Amino acid sequence: MTIHRAHIAGAALASALSMTSSANAQALEYQNTSGGSVTVYGQLNFGYLNFDDGESTTDEIVDNDNSPSRVGMALVQPFGDNQLRFRFETALGLRSSSGISQTEVPDGIDWDRTNIRHFDFAWANPNYGTISLGQGSMATDGVTGADDSGTDVISNVSVSDIAGSFAFRDSTGALTGVELSDAFSTFDGGRRGRIRWDSPEVANFTFSVAHGTEILDEDADTDYTDLAVRYGNDFGDFNVNAALGARRIQPSGSDDEDYVIGSVAVHHAPTGLSFAVAAGSEDGGGDYYYAKLGYARDFFAVGTTAFSIDYYEGDDINGAGTSSDSVGFSVVQSLDSANSEIFATYREYSYSDGTATSYQDANATMIGARWKF
């Protein structure tokens, strides 16, 4: 039913704009006679999650929070050398893998305005860059996510996404107040209501700066400022992507929080091997590093098969003296003709806080599929 409504909404929008349509392998695109276009796109990304906290297991059909189900519309209209752009995108509000826990299973669908990912206008000029205004990515959104493994749909630096609200149990079997999302963080910039500038590409570098605030949560009163630099280039058979960013969070009535984050990914095309690292540090607070090894080959005619193993280690993420570790194994099979992927992952989590409390290790398993349209 959700798929059907998404297509109807896209077609109705296109008709209202009196644009002609043309099929696209991954989206619906409508073009006008002046070079403008509207693209309607989206994805469904469902999985079966099993979480074992050392004492009990929880099983549920969920929306994969590594890359939530969504629908969006992107408009591009040229004006000479300039472009006016508009983007609207929302998650569907389906039961999230990071929203369930041992004590709570949310409704199957519960959409509210915090599910809006983008409501964003932009003006782009090839000489002066792009100015963006509205709900959208801060400059450091995705800076920690450089990854060419082909398994990022289910395995990436945000290792708690598949089970973030589950709590660790202590050695007696009692649930603690420590959730996975408390112990594993990326310090990523995320999306806010902001103004952002992106430079034109210069010698394979792009620079970005943004300032914003939380506009979708009425109870939030925090300002965000960040800047980032991104780099991408080929060196013979090697492709390199890298990003580095700095963030400042200014909560009302609290001290400022400063972060430095970044990532690098290297892919060797002839062998299908890839390697990625990411790291982040809070001034006076916690830090982490993350490493991922990937391998992708076309074993089958239907599409590429990708494997990865990754490791996360955090110190002081949930307060001074805390330590968190996670290791994951993942496989993704692309189905090119169906614009789909099927995936499976297994991930272990461990946590300690330097006190007499001993926390049991936990693990999560997810199998599922993503379909893009």
Side-chain angles (χ1 to χ4, degrees):
M1 183 65 70
T2 302
I3 302 171
H4 181 61
R5 289 176 178 172
H7 280 292
I8 290 175
L13 173 63
S15 298
L17 293 174
S18 299
M19 295 185 174
T20 61
S21 67
S22 62
N24 183 289
Q26 295 186 1
L28 299 176
E29 184 176 316
Y30 306 88
Q31 298 179 342
N32 64 19
T33 57
S34 60
S37 66
V38 170
T39 302
V40 180
Y41 63 93
Q43 66 178 35
L44 296 175
N45 191 3
F46 298 137
Y48 172 77
L49 173 66
N50 174 278
F51 186 83
D52 185 342
D53 59 21
E55 296 287 333
S56 64
T57 60
T58 302
D59 304 87
E60 196 65 53
I61 301 296
V62 294
D63 195 39
N64 177 6
D65 203 40
N66 285 280
S67 182
S69 297
R70 67 193 68 168
V71 64
M73 183 269 291
L75 178 150
V76 178
Q77 180 61 53
F79 293 93
D81 291 336
N82 303 297
Q83 279 189 343
L84 173 66
R85 303 171 184 169
F86 171 73
R87 181 181 181 187
F88 172 79
E89 181 181 296
T90 179
L92 300 182
L94 306 178
R95 181 187 295 125
S96 170
S97 61
S98 65
I100 68 172
S101 67
Q102 293 99 329
T103 59
E104 182 178 2
V105 177
D107 294 337
I109 181 169
D110 185 20
W111 188 94
D112 62 35
R113 66 182 187 178
T114 61
N115 291 117
I116 297 174
R117 298 166 59 86
H118 295 273
F119 193 94
D120 187 22
F121 293 88
W123 184 263
N125 179 281
N127 298 316
Y128 301 106
T130 302
I131 291 287
S132 305
L133 181 65
Q135 172 72 13
S137 293
M138 294 291 291
T140 55
D141 186 20
V143 159
T144 60
D147 186 343
D148 293 319
S149 68
T151 65
D152 55 320
V153 64
I154 189 60
S155 171
N156 55 59
V157 64
S158 189
V159 298
S160 68
D161 276 355
I162 63 171
S165 293
F166 282 95
F168 286 99
R169 290 187 185 270
D170 64 22
S171 57
T172 70
L175 285 174
T176 70
V178 181
E179 298 179 354
L180 265 63
S181 59
D182 298 325
F184 299 91
S185 179
T186 68
F187 305 147
D188 189 87
R191 292 174 296 275
R192 305 283 185 267
R194 86 290 186 246
I195 183 170
R196 168 174 167 167
W197 174 74
D198 293 275
S199 75
E201 185 176 298
V202 179
N204 299 305
F205 287 93
T206 303
F207 301 87
S208 308
V209 61
H211 178 76
T213 190
E214 179 60 71
I215 61 174
L216 301 180
D217 184 350
E218 294 179 346
D219 298 326
D221 187 13
T222 302
D223 291 332
Y224 301 83
T225 304
D226 61 0
L227 54 90
V229 57
R230 291 173 170 84
Y231 175 82
N233 202 5
D234 293 329
F235 298 90
D237 291 331
F238 292 89
N239 175 259
V240 177
N241 290 289
L244 180 66
R247 303 178 59 210
R248 170 163 289 182
I249 302 177
Q250 298 172 287
S252 177
S254 301
D255 294 337
D256 293 351
E257 302 170 15
D258 294 314
Y259 301 87
V260 176
I261 55 178
S263 61
V264 178
V266 180
H267 177 242
H268 185 242
T271 63
L273 289 170
S274 65
F275 182 68
V277 292
S281 178
E282 179 184 3
D283 185 24
D287 57 74
Y288 75 90
Y289 70 85
Y290 172 85
K292 184 176 189 179
L293 179 65
Y295 176 66
R297 299 294 289 180
D298 292 334
F299 296 110
F300 310 106
V302 294
T304 301
T305 308
F307 306 88
S308 68
I309 179 172
D310 63 352
Y311 177 73
Y312 177 108
E313 180 173 309
D315 292 306
D316 302 330
I317 299 293
N318 194 38
T322 63
S323 176
S324 47
D325 299 270
S326 179
V327 60
F329 308 88
S330 303
V331 58
V332 175
Q333 176 64 56
S334 296
L335 305 174
D336 294 341
S337 64
N339 298 322
S340 302
E341 302 148 292
I342 54 176
F343 55 77
T345 192
Y346 173 80
R347 181 168 296 281
E348 294 186 345
Y349 301 93
S350 62
Y351 176 79
S352 64
D353 62 6
T355 69
T357 301
S358 177
Y359 297 83
Q360 297 190 50
D361 291 346
N363 65 76
T365 303
M366 184 188 284
I367 57 174
R370 176 171 68 174
W371 172 61
K372 292 184 177 181
F373 60 90

